[in-house]
Amino acid sequence: MSFFQLSLIAAVALLGPLLALPRKWHLPVVLGQLLAGIVIGRTGFALVNSSDPTFTFMADVGFALIMFVAGTHVPVRDKAIRPALGSGALRAGIAAVLAVAVGIAIAFAFGTGHAPLYVVLLASSSAALVLPIVDSLRLGGPKVLTTTAQVAIADIACIVALPLAVDPPNALRAAAGAAIVAACAAVLFFVLRWLETSGTRGRVHDVSEDRKFALELRVQLALLFALGGLAVAGHVSIMLAGFSFGLVVSAVGEPRRLAHQLFAVSDGFLGPVFFVWLGASLDLRTLAGSPRMILLGICLGFGTLLVHGALRALGQPLPLAILAASQLGVPVAAATIGTQLHLLEPGEAAAMILGALISIGASTIAGSRAARTFSDAKPDETGKGAVAGTAGGSTATA
C-alpha cells in the first residue's frame, strides 16, 4: 500500500457520510463506505488490493475498534433497561429457536452445509444500528426498552457464538480461546472498576487533560490491542476481543472525553478503512453470475425479518420487531472471518452482506413508523439533542 492508495481510500470513504446526510433516510454511514470499497476493489476498478498485508492489518485494527465502540454503546449501566432484561431475553431466545428452523431449512435448500452460521445470522440483532435509530427518533416507553434489551442480548450472544458457528470442526479450540478472552476481559473489568472507585482514574484524567497527554486513550488502545493479540493467538476473531472490552468499558463507565477520542480514531480513520477493505474484498461479479447466491442473500434477509417479525405474536409491535431485525456487525464479521479462513463458497460472503442490507432497509422504514407511536419527544424536537456517528453504525452523543 502507498500513501496515494491510502488517500484514495480516505477520499472514497466520504461516500458514507454523503449517503447518510439526509436524516430522514436513517442510513448507516457504513453503507456508503462498503459501496465505495466495492467500486475500487475486486468488483470494480481494482484500484486497491484487499489482500495487501498492510491494508489487511489496518483493516483488522479498524475492525477491533469498530467492535469495541459498538460494545461501549450497549447500555450496560442503564438502570431503566434492567427490568426489561427478562422479557428481552425471552424474546431473543424465541427468535433463536425460530432461527434454528429457518437456518437449517436455508442451508438444506442451498446445500452449503453452513446451517450453524445461518442460524447465528438469522438470530442476530445489531445494537450498533438499532440504538442510534432509537436515539435519533427519541423512541421511548416500556416496549422500546424491552426491544432494546432484546437487541443487546441477541447481539452479545451471537457475537460470542459466531466464531464457533463459522468453523464448527474447530469449535472446541475456538470455545477455549473465547473463554480465555472473556476471562481476561472480566479481570480488566475489576481492575478498571477499582481504578475508577479509588479515584486513580480521575486523577490521571485531570493530569492528562491538563498536559494534553491523552493517557486514557493510550491505555485503552494498549489493552484493546493486547486482547486482540490474545484472540489471534487463541484462534478467535478479534471481533470478540473488541466487543468484550467495549462491554467492560461500558460497565465501568466511559469518560465523555475518551468517547470522543475513540470516535475520532475509529469513525474518522480506521473504521472507514475496514469497511472500504471489506467492500474491496467482495467479488460481486461472482454474485451477479450466480443467481443461486443472490437468492441466498434474499432468503437470509427476509428470513431474518420473518424470525424477528414472528415475535409480533408475543405482543411486540411489528415496527419494533422489524427494527430489532436490523443487523450489520455479525454478517460483516461472518463475511470477514469466512473470507479470511477460506470457508465460504464463491459469492457467499456477498450474499450475507446482501441479506444484511435487506434488514437495514426494512429497519429504516420500521424505525420511521415506530416514531409515530413510540416517540417520547415533541414533534418539533424529534431528532434533536443527539449527534449520531457510526462505527459499524454506533452513536457518539455530544
Side-chain angles (χ1 to χ4, degrees):
M1 174 182 286
S2 67
F3 280 106
F4 287 117
Q5 289 176 318
L6 187 58
S7 174
L8 173 64
I9 292 167
V12 298
L14 292 173
L15 181 61
L18 289 176
L19 288 182
L21 191 60
R23 291 184 179 273
K24 62 181 180 179
W25 291 357
H26 302 293
L27 294 178
V29 175
V30 300
L31 180 59
Q33 294 166 173
L34 280 170
L35 293 176
I38 290 171
V39 170
I40 67 172
R42 296 174 63 189
T43 302
F45 298 102
L47 300 178
V48 294
N49 180 12
S50 61
S51 62
D52 180 274
T54 303
F55 192 8
T56 301
F57 181 73
M58 291 179 65
D60 285 341
V61 176
F63 188 32
L65 276 169
I66 287 167
M67 298 312 300
F68 170 71
V69 174
T72 63
H73 285 91
V74 175
V76 179
R77 292 165 57 89
D78 189 348
K79 294 181 180 180
I81 201 176
R82 293 175 188 175
L85 288 175
S87 298
L90 176 62
R91 289 179 180 175
I94 293 174
V97 172
L98 296 175
V100 170
V102 178
I104 291 175
I106 292 177
F108 177 78
F110 289 89
T112 61
H114 292 155
L117 174 58
Y118 297 162
V119 170
V120 172
L121 291 176
L122 294 169
S124 69
S125 295
S126 176
L129 280 175
V130 174
L131 293 182
I133 294 177
V134 171
D135 287 343
S136 64
L137 296 179
R138 296 288 187 88
L139 303 183
K143 293 183 178 180
V144 174
L145 282 176
T146 301
T147 300
T148 302
Q150 171 195 340
V151 169
I153 292 170
D155 202 7
I156 294 170
C158 290
I159 283 176
V160 172
L162 181 61
L164 311 180
V166 171
D167 191 11
N170 294 312
L172 289 178
R173 183 182 67 179
I180 293 173
V181 170
C184 291
V187 171
L188 284 176
F189 166 73
F190 289 108
V191 172
L192 293 178
R193 189 176 67 171
W194 176 80
L195 291 173
E196 183 71 28
T197 56
S198 66
T200 303
R201 202 279 308 167
R203 291 190 294 272
V204 171
H205 170 82
D206 292 339
V207 173
S208 177
E209 185 174 16
D210 182 59
R211 301 291 301 277
K212 311 298 182 185
F213 286 160
L215 292 176
E216 290 167 304
L217 178 62
R218 295 171 187 246
V219 171
Q220 297 285 24
L221 290 178
L223 293 175
L224 172 62
F225 297 152
L227 270 184
L230 185 63
V232 172
H235 303 282
V236 180
S237 171
I238 56 176
M239 168 193 65
L240 181 59
F243 195 77
S244 60
F245 187 45
L247 291 177
V248 167
V249 172
S250 177
V252 173
E254 183 182 32
R256 184 182 298 265
R257 185 164 175 261
L258 176 61
H260 286 297
Q261 291 171 336
L262 286 170
F263 173 78
V265 174
S266 177
D267 286 41
F269 176 42
L270 291 169
V273 168
F274 166 73
F275 284 110
V276 171
W277 171 86
L278 179 62
S281 67
L282 297 176
D283 189 356
L284 296 187
R285 294 177 182 176
T286 303
L287 182 62
S290 176
R292 173 171 164 267
M293 285 297 148
I294 295 176
L295 184 58
L296 173 61
I298 294 173
C299 287
L300 289 174
F302 284 96
T304 301
L305 300 179
L306 175 64
V307 165
H308 291 271
L311 297 178
R312 174 69 180 87
L314 295 180
Q316 186 178 29
L318 186 60
L320 295 182
I322 298 301
L323 181 61
S326 179
Q327 54 179 220
L328 184 62
V330 171
V332 164
T336 303
I337 298 170
T339 300
Q340 290 174 341
L341 298 179
H342 306 288
L343 298 174
L344 303 178
E345 293 186 15
E348 193 172 4
M352 291 189 289
I353 299 298
L354 173 60
L357 294 178
I358 291 173
S359 74
I360 291 173
S363 64
T364 299
I365 298 172
S368 298
R369 294 194 174 184
R372 303 172 187 173
T373 305
F374 302 102
S375 177
D376 60 4
K378 297 179 182 180
D380 61 342
E381 292 177 334
T382 302
K384 295 182 180 180
V387 178
T390 59
S394 62
T395 299
T397 304

